[in-house]
Amino acid sequence: FQNTGAENIDLFFVSENVNNLMSMMGHLFFKISGKEKSGRKVSHALGYFAHHGNINKVKFVFAALFARAPGRYILEPYDRKVMEYIKSEKRNLWEYKLNLTQEQIDDLMLYIWELRDIEVKYSFITYNCASALIYILASVNQNINIDDYSIFDSPLDLVKKLYDDGYIKKANIVPADNYKFRMLDHNFSK
């Protein structure tokens, strides 16, 4: 927990993947970055996912869509997660700098620490990565009114609302190679 080096927390939107039912609306995760006690820079990705374990894929999709599947918060190295998305899955990422104070970041990390052993049921429609992260943000920022966010909001809907409400101060894209090539082709074929 202390090795996460939480000095900055950014929100990442991973583009939709129409080839994967569970990724058709995109995905959200936090990037937690800073320095370890030794001074080494570190970055971690924290996301909320449905955990399928050994269940067959048909049962898992049914459970995640219409029932409730086991959900997990997963903290993993940021660079590895980004490579998985942009290289393996060929999905673009949008990075959003959040307007959080250091006190809010510290509180957010404590809240996440409390969630480490709690299984929160995942539902693709009513409790997914977007709703999980908005509840975390609302827990550390009293100005975020959870009633303004619908359980039916997609990850992209959540980003738009956070931006409209002033909680996002800057955005950057981390493009996948296929996207870069398409943009080059588009620009040079004119």
Side-chain angles (χ1 to χ4, degrees):
F1 173 70
Q2 292 176 343
N3 288 334
T4 58
E7 294 173 1
N8 298 298
I9 297 183
D10 301 324
L11 182 67
F12 272 74
F13 171 74
V14 184
S15 65
E16 302 86 350
N17 180 354
V18 295
N19 297 323
N20 181 339
L21 181 63
M22 297 306 292
S23 299
M24 290 184 87
M25 294 191 327
H27 180 66
L28 289 178
F29 69 90
F30 288 130
K31 175 186 177 186
I32 303 166
S33 57
K35 294 180 184 173
E36 290 181 329
K37 288 182 180 180
S38 66
R40 183 175 70 98
K41 290 182 180 181
V42 293
S43 296
H44 293 84
L46 175 80
Y48 177 71
F49 301 90
H51 178 70
H52 55 78
N54 293 330
I55 191 171
N56 78 42
K57 289 186 179 190
V58 173
K59 285 183 180 179
F60 169 69
V61 169
F62 180 81
L65 285 174
F66 304 109
R68 307 275 284 180
R72 296 240 172 99
Y73 290 92
I74 299 175
L75 183 70
E76 56 192 309
Y78 167 77
D79 291 337
R80 182 173 63 198
K81 196 66 184 170
V82 168
M83 287 299 114
E84 176 186 327
Y85 286 128
I86 65 173
K87 296 291 184 192
S88 299
E89 297 184 17
K90 298 178 180 11
R91 296 165 72 183
N92 294 327
L93 285 82
W94 281 265
E95 174 184 19
Y96 301 98
K97 300 286 183 188
L98 296 173
N99 281 321
L100 295 174
T101 66
Q102 187 59 52
E103 181 180 3
Q104 288 171 324
I105 291 170
D106 294 342
D107 289 347
L108 191 143
M109 293 305 296
L110 290 171
Y111 186 81
I112 292 167
W113 180 251
E114 291 174 356
L115 292 173
R116 74 190 182 285
D117 294 326
I118 298 172
E119 182 182 289
V120 181
K121 293 292 186 179
Y122 180 98
S123 169
F124 184 75
I125 297 169
T126 60
Y127 196 84
N128 54 43
C129 62
S131 41
L133 297 188
I134 194 61
Y135 280 111
I136 291 173
L137 285 174
S139 75
V140 301
N141 186 332
Q142 296 173 357
N143 295 322
I144 295 177
N145 182 355
I146 205 68
D147 294 331
D148 293 340
Y149 298 85
S150 167
I151 60 172
F152 300 108
D153 284 343
S154 72
L156 191 53
D157 292 334
L158 177 76
V159 169
K160 289 176 182 177
K161 287 181 181 180
L162 287 171
Y163 180 80
D164 290 345
D165 292 343
Y167 299 114
I168 292 173
K169 59 183 174 181
K170 185 179 175 186
N172 295 310
I173 186 171
V174 181
D177 290 339
N178 61 331
Y179 180 80
K180 290 183 216 177
F181 294 137
R182 278 198 323 266
M183 290 301 102
L184 285 171
D185 182 52
H186 176 75
N187 288 327
F188 287 118
S189 62
K190 287 184 177 183

